[in-house]
Amino acid sequence: MRKWTIPSVLFLLCLLFLLPDQGRKLHASAEGDSEELTNPPKVEEKIGAVPNGLSTDSDVAKREAESISKRSLRNNAEKYEFQAEVSRLMDIIINSLYSNKDIFLRELISNASDALDKIRFLSLTDKDVLGEGDNTKLEIQIKLDKEKKILSIRDRGIGMTKEDLIKNLGTIAKSGTSAFVEKMQTSGDLNLIGQFGVGFYSVYLVADYVEVISKHNDDKQHVWESKADGSFAISEDTWNEPLGRGTEIKLHLREEAGEYLEESKLKELVKKYSEFINFPIYLWASKEVDVEVPAEDDESTDDDESSESTSSSEDEKEEEKEEDEDEKKPKTKKVKETTYEWELLNDVKAIWLRNPKEVTEEEYIKFYHSLAKDFTDEKPLSWSHFTAEGDVEFKAVLFVPPKAPHDLYESYYNSKKSNLKLYVRRVFISDEFDELLPKYLNFLKGLVDSDTLPLNVSREMLQQHSSLKTIKKKLIRKALDMIRRIADEDPDESTDKDKKDVEESNDDNEKKGQYAKFWNEFGKSIKLGIIEDATNRNRLAKLLRFETTKSEGKLTSLDQYISRMKSGQKDIFYITGSSKEQLEKSPFLERLTKKNYEVIFFTDPVDEYLMQYLMDYEDKKFQNASKEGLKLGKDPKDKELKESFKELTKWWKGALAGDNVDDVKISNRLADTPCVVVTSKYGWSANMERIMQSQTLSDASKQAYMRGKRVLEINPRHPIIKELRERVVKDPEDASVKQTAQLMYQTALMESGFMLSDPKDFASRIHSSVRTSLNISPDAVVEEEEEVEEAEAEPETKEADSSELDGDADSESSDVKDEL
């Protein structure tokens, strides 16, 4: 115990000395805080009705108030810039930013075009900046060296000084284009340099070492070089050819980038991405030509000897004269030789930048063939060239091709590729945007060029932006107006009154039948547009075309149908089926055609889906002639007929209770047919049932609830129905009458377009009816075939086989004899 008492006492004494000092320090700090915070922020005394509730430290409250109110850096704080690890950032740019190596050439040509734009702009106020001789040629040159694996791109743009090379190429994502535009708008100092953004560093996708040789009017020629390892070097250029002015980029290509040393590959990339650059792009291309070279002496002497030996004595004098003349002229021969020359790669001009009034029809056709890569002689059906201004500014040219691609609808919902190409300042960006045009208009070809589109840093993806909706809305409106114009200019689409005026005023029949051609190629796209685009549904409905009972094989529009409607007609009548020939014979049309009503024929499978969305047009509702609800005016005898056939309809409904028949009614649509089967107004029609059953992945159990209720409608004026009514009145339990009623229903099902659930049952009823008509006893049975025992059949087959073998042997021996 004594061992522990002395240390414990000493420890307690130390604590007693320390505690007063700590208390004084705490008291002093509290006094200091009270002096600094004269008005500390107050906190509610009672929170949740709990006395002495939660409290907030005054410093914390003050800091939160400052951060919420200011949302900015404090003035007295020390400021630092974010530091990027250059080698790491370069690795991200090279390996992650771009998904396609081909775009490096697009970026370099775009930078060269920017530099040329800047020197041309400066030359407007000072012509001396262009210099003399070749320096005045504003062009881009591409040259390759297969042996050294070097690809060079040169421009005669504004160039860069040593300071500019350090500032612009040494700073990643530094682009002077936006700064140049800002300076130009503010009329400030325009002495800017052709600077490079992130796009320049795409060169390291294909190169492991890059040289940038640049010459500015205000400085000497310098070389910037780097291996993308986080460092670069700059030196005064004393060994390369003087540029005069501009920039030359030399790419020392990687081993795996050898394809970019092929002229064909470079031509393909320029045609794809930079075809419409405003400056000429030249490629130092090889070409084989026939060149005459002096012939060798041995060959000439041999030729002379052969000619002398074959000549006759009479012609010796003439040949000697010819030989004398040949000796005077040097003897040559043609040899193929490879030569190099500058080949222009972008001869097609960007016509969308011009005023539409200044562009001729031939220029539009030539531009379409170049844009669509269509090498036929057919010209587009129509085109629209316009400039949109406002919140979003862009220029666009749209074309309607003369023919639809064979696979237009095969991958309709899966394909992301669009025929609408996106350009930014005449540089092709991508054609894989489905945000600019809806899918139903993906058959259109054309381009959109805008400087304000929100692209991501690699220019390969269009970011989601509110401006896209504006662009899409304007493009759709212009596209539909362009298609509508084809119909308006087609003489076949005009009414009879307009046709006379057209024939008198226009002798040119080039536009005749153009809309029918368009409809045959792209009509399904218009129907899909009505299904998908609720906003433009009415506009698209005006473009619909179809055949009717009165169109005489020609296409008709809804407006033309309405103009021919009978007085008092409220509905637009239509019928769906697999072919026009089938629909013309349909029993559903008998009463309609007899009363001179016009009925539309819809024969495309997509029409069934179309009519589920197109419910009305110009305050006229659509009525399917094969469904319930058909109104053809009131007949004063309807009540009498219903009453007189009430017993038959009730009995027939009971007889068909097991066949999913909802009701049996008197029909107002039949004239010559005894009965038909119609469906409920909102269920599937017979044609829709057939389409759904033919689907590869259809499920019969899930389709049952969509099938419409079937109603058997009978023709009270038909003799078969009248006789059936009398038989039912005499004996409702007659088996032959029930069989006849069942057979009539099954026949009506087939005639109405339905598929029989039990074809065998229908066939047996037909056979039974044939027996009765031929007075064959119902007890007569099929004669049984005599059975032959298998044991007796085997030797017969063996004998037959042996006889065949003997015959083959005899024939072979006879053939041998014939040959001998």
Side-chain angles (χ1 to χ4, degrees):
M1 292 295 293
R2 291 179 179 177
K3 293 179 180 180
W4 294 103
T5 53
I6 296 173
S8 61
V9 171
L10 293 173
F11 179 75
L12 290 172
L13 289 172
C14 293
L15 286 175
L16 290 173
F17 281 112
L18 291 172
L19 286 173
D21 293 336
Q22 293 294 331
R24 283 192 296 272
K25 289 179 181 178
L26 291 172
H27 181 71
S29 62
E31 288 179 353
D33 292 341
S34 62
E35 291 176 0
E36 291 177 4
L37 298 174
T38 54
N39 294 317
K42 295 181 179 180
V43 183
E44 292 182 3
E45 295 180 356
K46 294 183 179 181
I47 299 178
V50 178
N52 300 324
L54 300 175
S55 61
T56 305
D57 181 71
S58 58
D59 291 338
V60 175
K62 185 177 180 181
R63 288 195 298 270
E64 288 178 352
E66 288 179 355
S67 63
I68 293 171
S69 60
K70 294 181 179 180
R71 294 294 184 192
S72 59
L73 299 177
R74 294 175 175 82
N75 294 328
N76 58 353
E78 295 182 11
K79 298 179 179 63
Y80 298 93
E81 292 183 359
F82 289 105
Q83 299 296 322
E85 189 178 345
V86 177
S87 59
R88 176 86 177 183
L89 184 58
M90 290 293 289
D91 182 65
I92 292 173
I93 292 172
I94 296 165
N95 298 315
S96 303
L97 194 60
Y98 295 99
S99 60
N100 184 7
K101 292 182 179 181
D102 293 347
I103 53 86
F104 83 92
L105 190 62
R106 177 192 75 184
E107 297 295 335
L108 294 183
I109 292 176
S110 300
N111 289 334
S113 176
D114 290 343
L116 290 167
D117 269 327
K118 291 167 187 176
I119 194 67
R120 184 175 62 179
F121 184 85
L122 294 175
S123 68
L124 297 177
T125 55
D126 185 7
K127 293 182 179 180
D128 295 335
V129 296
L130 289 178
E132 299 177 353
D134 290 341
N135 288 337
T136 59
K137 297 178 181 178
L138 302 182
E139 60 189 15
I140 301 168
Q141 296 177 344
I142 303 173
K143 200 170 184 179
L144 51 88
D145 188 339
K146 290 186 178 181
E147 294 181 1
K148 297 180 180 179
K149 295 182 179 179
I150 296 176
L151 176 64
S152 303
I153 295 95
R154 177 181 176 179
D155 66 77
R156 290 191 171 91
I158 194 168
M160 286 180 282
T161 63
K162 180 180 179 180
E163 183 182 350
D164 297 324
L165 288 169
I166 298 171
K167 185 194 304 181
N168 299 324
L169 297 189
T171 305
I172 297 175
K174 176 74 174 179
S175 178
T177 304
S178 57
F180 185 87
V181 173
E182 290 175 5
K183 286 285 185 180
M184 184 176 63
Q185 291 174 347
T186 55
S187 300
D189 183 15
L190 297 181
N191 189 19
L192 290 179
I193 286 306
Q195 298 172 354
F196 296 80
V198 177
F200 165 74
Y201 300 99
S202 63
V203 296
Y204 291 105
L205 291 168
V206 296
D208 51 14
Y209 173 62
V210 178
E211 294 178 274
V212 180
I213 307 164
S214 191
K215 171 68 173 70
H216 189 274
N217 287 337
D218 298 338
D219 199 353
K220 297 178 181 180
Q221 184 167 310
H222 289 86
V223 178
W224 179 97
E225 51 190 335
S226 176
K227 294 182 178 180
D229 55 358
S231 62
F232 61 90
I234 297 178
S235 56
E236 184 178 341
D237 187 7
T238 56
W239 59 90
N240 287 310
E241 178 186 353
L243 296 179
R245 186 194 65 251
T247 302
E248 181 178 1
I249 302 175
K250 291 184 178 181
L251 310 182
H252 297 258
L253 298 178
R254 302 171 183 265
E255 290 292 334
E256 63 270 18
E259 60 178 324
Y260 300 106
L261 290 172
E262 300 295 331
E263 294 177 9
S264 58
K265 181 66 175 179
L266 296 176
K267 290 178 182 179
E268 176 191 342
L269 294 181
V270 172
K271 286 284 184 183
K272 182 177 181 180
Y273 292 106
S274 309
E275 186 176 14
F276 303 110
I277 288 291
N278 207 24
F279 300 97
I281 303 172
Y282 292 97
L283 174 66
W284 188 246
S286 60
K287 185 179 180 181
E288 286 191 351
V289 294
D290 292 332
V291 180
E292 291 187 355
V293 296
E296 296 180 2
D297 296 335
D298 295 338
E299 294 178 359
S300 62
T301 54
D302 292 340
D303 294 339
D304 293 339
E305 289 175 1
S306 62
S307 61
E308 288 174 1
S309 61
T310 54
S311 61
S312 61
S313 58
E314 295 178 357
D315 299 330
E316 284 182 358
K317 294 181 180 180
E318 294 179 2
E319 287 183 359
E320 287 176 359
K321 291 180 180 179
E322 291 177 0
E323 288 175 2
D324 293 339
E325 292 176 359
D326 292 339
E327 287 177 358
K328 294 178 182 178
K329 296 179 181 179
K331 294 180 180 180
T332 59
K333 64 177 180 178
K334 289 185 177 180
V335 178
K336 287 189 176 181
E337 187 176 301
T338 302
T339 60
Y340 288 87
E341 61 182 12
W342 291 110
E343 181 181 344
L344 182 64
L345 301 182
N346 58 335
D347 56 343
V348 181
K349 300 300 180 183
I351 64 171
W352 67 86
L353 300 176
R354 295 162 55 188
N355 190 335
K357 296 179 181 179
E358 299 174 356
V359 185
T360 63
E361 180 178 337
E362 289 75 16
E363 287 177 311
Y364 278 120
I365 295 172
K366 181 183 177 183
F367 181 76
Y368 164 76
H369 288 305
S370 173
L371 182 71
K373 302 297 183 287
D374 184 358
F375 303 106
T376 63
D377 295 332
E378 292 187 86
K379 65 179 184 179
L381 297 177
S382 183
W383 55 80
S384 178
H385 180 191
F386 59 94
T387 301
E389 297 178 350
D391 297 338
V392 181
E393 296 184 1
F394 66 92
K395 297 176 176 64
V397 181
L398 301 176
F399 294 94
V400 179
K403 286 186 178 180
H406 65 280
D407 58 345
L408 179 59
Y409 303 108
E410 288 181 5
S411 56
Y412 179 77
Y413 289 105
N414 297 327
S415 176
K416 289 186 177 181
K417 189 171 183 179
S418 172
N419 289 319
L420 191 67
K421 297 183 177 182
L422 176 66
Y423 284 75
V424 173
R425 302 177 73 245
R426 298 182 300 278
V427 178
F428 173 67
I429 301 302
S430 180
D431 57 359
E432 295 182 357
F433 294 140
D434 53 359
E435 295 93 346
L436 296 179
L437 271 183
K439 285 189 178 295
Y440 69 88
L441 290 176
N442 62 356
F443 64 90
L444 295 178
K445 295 184 183 293
L447 59 85
V448 175
D449 190 347
S450 175
D451 295 345
T452 58
L453 281 179
L455 298 171
N456 71 343
V457 72
S458 66
R459 294 207 247 184
E460 290 177 323
M461 183 181 67
L462 193 62
Q463 296 171 345
Q464 293 295 327
H465 198 272
S466 59
S467 61
L468 288 179
K469 294 180 180 178
T470 307
I471 295 175
K472 186 175 183 178
K473 186 177 179 181
K474 290 181 179 179
L475 286 174
I476 293 173
R477 189 179 72 249
K478 288 291 185 179
L480 297 183
D481 290 343
M482 172 178 61
I483 297 171
R484 181 71 183 271
R485 192 166 64 247
I486 301 175
D488 293 341
E489 295 175 354
D490 189 349
D492 291 344
E493 290 289 315
S494 57
T495 59
D496 295 336
K497 292 181 180 180
D498 297 334
K499 280 183 180 178
K500 295 179 181 178
D501 300 335
V502 171
E503 287 174 2
E504 291 175 2
S505 61
N506 188 13
D507 296 329
D508 189 10
N509 292 327
E510 285 186 5
K511 296 179 180 178
K512 190 174 183 179
Q514 287 291 90
Y515 194 78
K517 183 179 179 182
F518 164 81
W519 183 257
N520 292 331
E521 296 289 337
F522 308 107
K524 189 173 289 186
S525 294
I526 302 300
K527 295 175 182 178
L528 290 170
I530 294 174
I531 295 171
E532 298 170 4
D533 192 353
T535 306
N536 296 289
R537 188 164 290 157
N538 191 57
R539 219 179 252 232
L540 287 162
K542 291 182 179 293
L543 302 175
L544 274 178
R545 294 296 182 271
F546 38 77
E547 291 187 53
T548 69
T549 52
K550 293 184 179 181
S551 64
E552 299 177 352
K554 296 181 180 180
L555 294 176
T556 303
S557 66
L558 286 172
D559 291 329
Q560 291 172 343
Y561 178 94
I562 292 174
S563 66
R564 296 195 293 260
M565 286 174 64
K566 290 178 63 177
S567 59
Q569 181 181 345
K570 297 180 180 180
D571 297 335
I572 299 174
F573 300 115
Y574 73 93
I575 188 171
T576 60
S578 57
S579 67
K580 177 189 172 186
E581 292 73 18
Q582 177 195 353
L583 294 177
E584 286 176 332
K585 300 172 184 177
S586 174
F588 296 110
L589 303 184
E590 292 175 355
R591 196 82 178 274
L592 287 165
T593 53
K594 197 171 184 179
K595 288 197 169 188
N596 200 28
Y597 285 105
E598 188 174 7
V599 184
I600 297 171
F601 295 138
F602 284 129
T603 57
D604 195 341
V606 77
D607 292 335
E608 285 284 356
Y609 302 94
L610 167 70
M611 299 315 295
Q612 294 176 20
Y613 292 87
L614 190 62
M615 307 301 293
D616 56 72
Y617 179 78
E618 300 292 342
D619 298 328
K620 305 287 183 182
K621 291 187 177 181
F622 287 91
Q623 173 61 51
N624 192 333
S626 65
K627 289 188 175 183
E628 279 187 317
L630 186 66
K631 297 178 182 179
L632 300 176
K634 293 183 179 180
D635 191 344
K637 296 182 180 180
D638 283 347
K639 290 185 178 181
E640 296 178 10
L641 289 171
K642 287 181 180 179
E643 197 64 33
S644 61
F645 282 87
K646 186 176 182 180
E647 188 175 354
L648 174 63
T649 55
K650 186 178 180 181
W651 173 85
W652 209 336
K653 182 180 178 182
L656 299 175
D659 292 296
N660 193 26
V661 176
D662 189 57
D663 201 0
V664 180
K665 295 180 179 179
I666 302 298
S667 178
N668 65 339
R669 72 186 82 211
L670 296 177
D672 303 321
T673 304
C675 56
V676 290
V677 178
V678 300
T679 56
S680 57
K681 191 171 184 179
Y682 299 104
W684 284 347
S685 64
N687 187 52
M688 188 63 175
E689 278 193 31
R690 179 181 57 81
I691 292 171
M692 295 307 296
Q693 288 174 3
S694 62
Q695 298 293 326
T696 306
L697 303 176
S698 62
D699 188 352
S701 61
K702 294 181 180 179
Q703 293 176 5
Y705 72 95
M706 282 303 296
R707 290 196 183 97
K709 293 181 179 180
R710 296 174 182 177
V711 177
L712 178 65
E713 291 191 359
I714 59 175
N715 185 359
R717 298 172 180 83
H718 200 279
I720 294 178
I721 303 299
K722 288 181 179 180
E723 181 63 25
L724 198 60
R725 179 186 60 175
E726 293 177 4
R727 295 281 183 94
V728 169
V729 171
K730 288 180 182 179
D731 186 6
E733 300 299 326
D734 188 353
S736 62
V737 175
K738 287 185 178 181
Q739 183 174 351
T740 303
Q742 190 72 30
L743 183 61
M744 290 288 293
Y745 169 69
Q746 291 178 334
T747 307
L749 272 177
M750 292 184 64
E751 196 172 12
S752 303
F754 292 94
M755 297 179 69
L756 295 177
S757 58
D758 190 358
K760 179 67 177 175
D761 180 61
F762 174 72
S764 62
R765 293 181 190 280
I766 291 291
H767 296 155
S768 177
S769 178
V770 172
R771 279 174 178 242
T772 305
S773 64
L774 295 176
N775 295 323
I776 299 173
S777 173
D779 298 329
V781 294
V782 180
E783 185 179 351
E784 294 183 1
E785 185 181 356
E786 294 182 3
E787 294 183 1
V788 182
E789 294 182 3
E790 294 181 359
E792 295 177 357
E794 288 179 0
E796 290 178 5
T797 55
K798 288 180 179 179
E799 289 175 3
D801 294 339
S802 62
S803 63
E804 288 177 1
L805 290 171
D806 295 339
D808 293 340
D810 294 338
S811 61
E812 288 178 2
S813 61
S814 62
D815 292 339
V816 172
K817 289 178 182 179
D818 292 339
E819 289 177 3
L820 292 172

